[in-house]
Amino acid sequence: MPQSTEDTYKFWHQFVETGDPKLLPSILAEDVVLRTPVYWKERKGMEVFLILSCVPKALGPITYVREWIDGKDWALEFSGRIDDIELKGIDLITLNDDNKVKLLEVMLRPPNAGTIFRARMEELVTKAKAAMEKNGS
């Protein structure tokens, strides 16, 4: 469990680099809120854990190119590729008093990258939900 914002920052970057979903419980608040172009409505709680665990499979590697850190509020600009499309995005992150992510807002451009990403995420999240139900989780 992160003891400081710096710990959470390290764990967050480790998750982005490795895609290891086992890191998520240590950095996400139980009532975390996710706002993303993939979904029209915000997602909350355990559903966010499931969604984020699928992101590395859908998006491939990203690199943070600029970061603005103001205590518990972060803006992390990233770049990457999805198929042959170069993409840019921003993760806006707010931590709670326990130094866990309580709000994650994601912005992504260009629109065609978002469209491809959304289709992949829908497929992966559907499969992950089915697997959880099959395993009784």
Side-chain angles (χ1 to χ4, degrees):
M1 177 174 186
Q3 300 297 312
S4 66
T5 56
E6 292 81 12
D7 288 345
T8 304
Y9 176 88
K10 284 192 289 186
F11 283 122
W12 179 263
H13 279 274
Q14 188 177 356
F15 168 69
V16 170
E17 290 169 14
T18 65
D20 184 356
K22 293 177 188 157
L23 294 167
L24 292 174
S26 67
I27 56 177
L28 298 180
E30 288 184 26
D31 59 349
V32 62
V33 173
L34 172 67
R35 297 180 185 137
T36 172
V38 173
Y39 301 105
W40 295 108
K41 294 180 181 178
E42 64 185 29
R43 304 298 187 198
K44 297 179 181 178
M46 288 305 295
E47 188 174 13
V48 176
F49 286 79
L50 176 68
I51 292 166
L52 289 182
S53 71
C54 294
V55 169
K57 297 173 196 152
L59 190 55
I62 65 167
T63 302
Y64 286 116
V65 293
R66 290 192 290 177
E67 299 179 339
W68 298 270
I69 308 287
D70 183 14
K72 294 181 183 287
D73 294 305
W74 309 345
L76 310 177
E77 180 186 356
F78 60 86
S79 64
R81 297 186 69 78
I82 189 165
D83 293 339
D84 60 346
I85 300 167
E86 290 185 33
L87 60 90
K88 294 281 270 183
I90 296 177
D91 290 332
L92 297 174
I93 297 172
T94 301
L95 305 182
N96 66 14
D97 291 337
D98 293 327
N99 298 310
K100 290 191 172 197
V101 176
K102 73 175 181 179
L103 175 62
L104 171 60
E105 292 188 76
V106 181
M107 292 167 228
L108 186 64
R109 68 171 184 79
N112 55 341
T115 301
I116 294 167
F117 180 60
R118 179 184 178 127
R120 287 185 182 172
M121 284 297 295
E122 287 176 352
E123 179 183 339
L124 290 167
V125 169
T126 299
K127 287 180 182 178
K129 283 181 181 178
M132 283 179 60
E133 290 170 3
K134 183 178 179 182
N135 294 328
S137 301

